[in-house]
Amino acid sequence: MHLSAQKITNIKTQKDQIKQLELALKMKVDFQKDTIGLIKNLHPLLELANQERSIPLKWAYYLLMADGFSIAFDQVNPRSNAYYKLASELVGRENLPELRMIGNIRQGYYLYTYREVKDAFPYFLLAAELEKDINAEKIPLLPEHYSYIANFYSYIGDQEKAITYLKTALPYTKEHSRQKIDMTNAIGVYYKKAALFDKAYPFYKQALEIAAEAKDSVWMGIIAGNLADYEWEKGNEEQAIALVKQNIELSLKYKEVLDAMRANLEVARMYAHQKKWDLAEKHIAKSTALMADKPYFLVFKRDAAKILAEIAAGKGQKDLELTNLKEYLVLKDSLEARNNNEAMQKIYWQWEIERYEQANKQAESKRRQINQTYQYVGALLILGFIIIVLLINRSKTRIKIRSTELEKEQLALKFEKQLLDQELSVLKNSLQEFTDTVRHNDHTIQQLRKEIQEKETHDPKLAIEISENLSRMLESHIMTDERWLKFKHVFDKVYPEFLETQKLENPKLSESDLRLIALMKLDLNNRSMSDLLGVSIEGVKKAKQRLKKKVDK
């Protein structure tokens, strides 16, 4: 019997509806770009759903088709979106909160997987809202779906909520399964992200015990690496190093290349901390050999460059130290630009969660008020002989409700002001970090220029190499039009209406003049402004003179 036909037979003969749905959701959807194969494989499920008039099975069919097309296109696409919409509309007409919740989780995770995080956000919020109405026993593949939503909440920085979902799902996992090991270890990881190391440790130990009982060497290596972090924090350095080396050995044995790369980098950092330079250098070489030229590896390349600079400094290799430091600075600047955007986005997401929850509370309060009003009206119709008393009570109630609403509005305004103050504080810190980075880079640039002058006579080739590196650094340092717009957005938030007022008072001010005024407001010197604007120091001085003439007129 064909494999697909056998699965359909198993689904059809299964009497438990939840298990039947789980069998359906486990059907194969990964046909790469072969969408004909996907449709052919899942069509019997659609026929069975129609034959049995099963809403859940038809819903599962739509979700599987959405998943299959997402794999085929390897991105968010109209076909997947259309099938998710059909699934949502199907269960939206029925009293099936469990399926509505899972549908939202799967659609949110689909968008999150392909980094459409902003679009994914509402689906996870809707799923969280539906949780209060569901029966966990009726959730198909509960551990898998709760892992999806936990992963998302951890990504946006809400480790507490991520842990809650995993702890809820853990009792529904099979004993000694990889899923149970993964989820137990993930709870430890999320505690670590929340800087709760003592709470993370018991879950790492528990995950390691399950992996040992299951004889799962790959997971034993991964968890050993996590335990090493804990031991290092406690000051047990040799024990930590031994655990990481165990992770390296098992990762290489089972071809877990990425984990081996990270583990080698970690043990190199530990040896550098102990000033064991040769051992550190040996593990750095092993780690970098496993790195690829992809954005994912930038953070590891940055860390490797920093450790190599420490090793060179420890060995007294000044030129090599400088080369590695320059590489580190270039990678650090690139990553900081991306991380700043992600940090701001995560703050926005947290704000959106709070606003969503607040709106739900207000809506619930309003529903209660409406129900209360209906009850009063009913009482008036039934108990007409005490209508005067009820009218008086109703009037008093309205006054209380209005007073409550006013208090809530005041609290909402106060809450909104706190959020805005928090946002302004973050932006001020970002602007201060920008200023500090510019000054630090200015110092580095001056050192490089001085070194070029020193090397020009004695070592012209090295002088040319340093000059080229300096040029690249200056190019990445220059404030382009695109960078100016991002900088101006943050500057305007921290110093509201400052540039706008300057422009109103002096309409002849150009965009270049406004850049100069903003940098002067940050108290940057002529040298820093010269490097940022890509002009000479004399050019900056002349620009200031022209600006003064415009302002004084």
Side-chain angles (χ1 to χ4, degrees):
M1 184 180 288
H2 190 270
L3 184 61
S4 177
Q6 180 63 56
K7 287 189 176 180
I8 292 298
T9 301
N10 292 341
I11 293 168
K12 190 174 182 178
T13 56
Q14 177 58 250
K15 301 303 180 184
D16 186 308
Q17 190 179 62
I18 302 303
K19 290 181 179 178
Q20 183 186 56
L21 198 52
E22 288 182 340
L23 287 172
L25 289 171
K26 287 180 180 179
M27 287 186 70
K28 180 181 177 181
V29 295
D30 187 356
F31 288 83
Q32 296 301 311
K33 298 186 180 297
D34 181 12
T35 54
I36 301 299
L38 169 70
I39 294 168
K40 184 178 178 180
N41 184 66
L42 293 181
H43 185 69
L45 178 61
L46 178 61
E47 289 182 329
L48 177 62
N50 289 332
Q51 179 185 333
E52 298 191 355
R53 296 181 180 179
S54 171
I55 297 294
L57 286 180
K58 196 167 187 178
W59 170 82
Y61 167 78
Y62 287 145
L63 291 181
L64 291 171
M65 288 292 284
D67 289 346
F69 275 102
S70 75
I71 293 169
F73 286 99
D74 196 27
Q75 63 181 2
V76 171
N77 64 89
R79 293 294 294 274
S80 292
N81 293 343
Y83 278 113
Y84 276 121
K85 185 179 180 183
L86 287 170
S88 177
E89 289 173 348
L90 185 64
V91 295
R93 296 190 292 266
E94 309 290 331
N95 184 27
L96 298 168
E98 290 82 11
L99 300 193
R100 286 172 60 206
M101 178 185 179
I102 296 308
N104 279 305
I105 289 175
R106 290 176 77 106
Q107 189 165 1
Y109 200 71
Y110 149 74
L111 292 164
Y112 165 68
T113 298
Y114 295 106
R115 285 300 177 260
E116 299 289 342
V117 182
K118 185 178 179 182
D119 293 333
F121 202 67
Y123 292 100
F124 285 111
L125 289 179
L126 285 169
E129 174 62 19
L130 285 165
E131 188 182 10
K132 66 180 186 299
D133 300 323
I134 62 99
N135 177 357
E137 299 290 338
K138 294 183 179 180
I139 296 286
L141 303 177
L142 183 142
E144 180 179 326
H145 291 120
Y146 273 31
S147 291
Y148 290 164
I149 197 168
N151 194 357
F152 177 79
Y153 274 109
S154 175
Y155 175 78
I156 66 172
D158 194 341
Q159 309 304 331
E160 182 181 356
K161 190 162 286 187
I163 291 166
T164 299
Y165 276 108
L166 289 188
K167 284 185 175 180
T168 301
L170 205 55
Y172 295 88
T173 56
K174 291 182 180 179
E175 289 297 323
H176 305 133
S177 65
R178 275 204 159 190
Q179 189 177 60
K180 192 176 190 73
I181 300 167
D182 184 6
M183 291 177 68
T184 306
N185 178 69
I187 293 172
V189 171
Y190 295 159
Y191 270 128
K192 180 191 170 186
K193 286 184 177 180
L196 299 171
F197 298 102
D198 288 335
K199 287 190 175 183
Y201 182 74
F203 285 95
Y204 288 152
K205 291 290 287 183
Q206 185 181 345
L208 186 60
E209 289 169 6
I210 299 170
E213 289 172 4
K215 298 179 180 179
D216 193 324
S217 299
V218 174
W219 267 107
M220 288 171 67
I222 293 170
I223 299 164
N226 291 335
L227 285 168
D229 292 339
Y230 177 83
E231 296 296 345
W232 186 267
E233 290 290 332
K234 291 292 185 182
N236 303 324
E237 295 184 0
E238 294 307 319
Q239 190 173 349
I241 290 171
L243 285 166
V244 181
K245 285 185 173 181
Q246 180 185 345
N247 185 10
I248 294 169
E249 181 183 349
L250 292 170
S251 297
L252 291 174
K253 181 178 179 180
Y254 294 98
K255 296 181 171 47
E256 294 290 334
V257 177
L258 289 179
D259 199 51
M261 178 272 294
R262 289 191 292 263
N264 270 296
L265 189 61
E266 180 62 16
V267 81
R269 181 188 66 77
M270 292 175 173
Y271 277 134
H273 176 78
Q274 294 180 336
K275 303 189 187 307
K276 296 178 180 179
W277 309 121
D278 289 337
L279 288 172
E281 194 169 28
K282 171 187 170 185
H283 284 279
I284 281 286
K286 290 180 178 180
S287 179
T288 53
L290 298 173
M291 294 180 190
D293 190 19
K294 294 182 180 180
Y296 170 79
F297 292 90
L298 281 177
V299 66
F300 302 110
K301 289 182 178 180
R302 177 203 63 189
D303 294 344
K306 186 178 180 182
I307 296 170
L308 284 170
E310 290 178 22
I311 294 169
K315 290 185 170 185
Q317 299 167 334
K318 296 296 181 184
D319 290 343
L320 186 56
E321 178 189 6
L322 182 60
T323 300
N324 288 318
L325 277 175
K326 285 188 288 189
E327 178 69 12
Y328 166 71
L329 287 172
V330 170
L331 292 168
K332 179 173 176 286
D333 288 344
S334 175
L335 284 165
E336 281 180 350
R338 186 169 64 181
N339 290 340
N340 284 339
N341 289 334
E342 288 182 0
M344 289 300 296
Q345 188 64 58
K346 287 180 180 180
I347 291 169
Y348 167 75
W349 290 330
Q350 290 293 340
W351 183 31
E352 283 293 306
I353 288 175
E354 290 166 1
R355 286 178 61 192
Y356 183 84
E357 291 175 348
Q358 186 69 15
N360 283 338
K361 288 178 182 177
Q362 290 175 349
E364 182 63 30
S365 176
K366 191 173 182 179
R367 282 195 293 271
R368 286 199 299 268
Q369 291 168 13
I370 291 170
N371 290 336
Q372 192 176 34
T373 302
Y374 286 145
Q375 290 170 6
Y376 286 146
V377 171
L380 283 170
L381 293 173
I382 296 170
L383 305 173
F385 65 94
I386 56 168
I387 191 169
I388 297 174
V389 175
L390 288 175
L391 286 171
I392 293 171
N393 287 340
R394 189 180 181 192
S395 177
K396 288 180 179 179
T397 302
R398 282 180 173 174
I399 292 170
K400 288 179 181 178
I401 290 171
R402 182 57 185 159
S403 175
T404 302
E405 287 176 344
L406 289 171
E407 288 176 3
K408 287 182 178 179
E409 287 173 3
Q410 290 173 351
L411 286 172
L413 289 171
K414 184 177 179 181
F415 180 67
E416 187 174 352
K417 182 179 181 301
Q418 288 176 347
L419 286 174
L420 290 172
D421 289 341
Q422 289 174 6
E423 183 184 9
L424 182 59
S425 175
V426 170
L427 290 170
K428 282 182 177 177
N429 289 337
S430 294
L431 198 57
Q432 184 59 49
E433 287 176 7
F434 167 81
T435 307
D436 293 342
T437 300
V438 168
R439 289 172 177 157
H440 174 74
N441 286 351
D442 181 45
H443 177 70
T444 303
I445 289 165
Q446 297 316 305
Q447 284 184 324
L448 290 174
R449 284 176 171 148
K450 183 178 177 182
E451 186 169 348
I452 289 170
Q453 291 175 354
E454 292 174 354
K455 299 289 184 181
E456 278 180 343
T457 303
H458 303 293
D459 194 345
K461 285 185 72 176
L462 182 57
I464 291 170
E465 182 184 348
I466 296 171
S467 178
E468 289 174 351
N469 289 334
L470 176 59
S471 296
R472 286 195 293 271
M473 187 173 184
L474 287 171
E475 285 174 9
S476 67
H477 199 49
I478 289 173
M479 185 179 286
T480 61
D481 290 343
E482 183 183 354
R483 290 174 181 167
W484 161 245
L485 290 175
K486 292 179 182 178
F487 169 80
K488 186 173 181 290
H489 174 73
V490 176
F491 186 92
D492 285 341
K493 291 278 188 180
V494 178
Y495 299 104
E497 300 181 0
F498 176 81
L499 293 177
E500 185 178 347
T501 301
Q502 297 289 329
K503 184 71 174 176
L504 287 172
E505 291 177 358
N506 301 281
K508 293 183 179 180
L509 290 177
S510 65
E511 199 70 7
S512 296
D513 294 329
L514 293 177
R515 292 189 198 192
L516 191 60
I517 289 170
L519 295 177
M520 290 168 66
K521 178 70 174 175
L522 297 181
D523 200 26
L524 294 177
N525 60 33
N526 288 347
R527 169 65 67 186
S528 295
M529 285 190 275
S530 165
D531 291 335
L532 274 172
L533 299 174
V535 298
S536 66
I537 295 177
E538 284 302 314
V540 173
K541 290 178 180 179
K542 287 179 181 179
K544 284 185 175 182
Q545 290 171 0
R546 287 194 297 272
L547 176 62
K548 189 173 186 303
K549 288 179 182 179
K550 286 184 181 181
V551 172
D552 290 342
K553 283 184 179 180

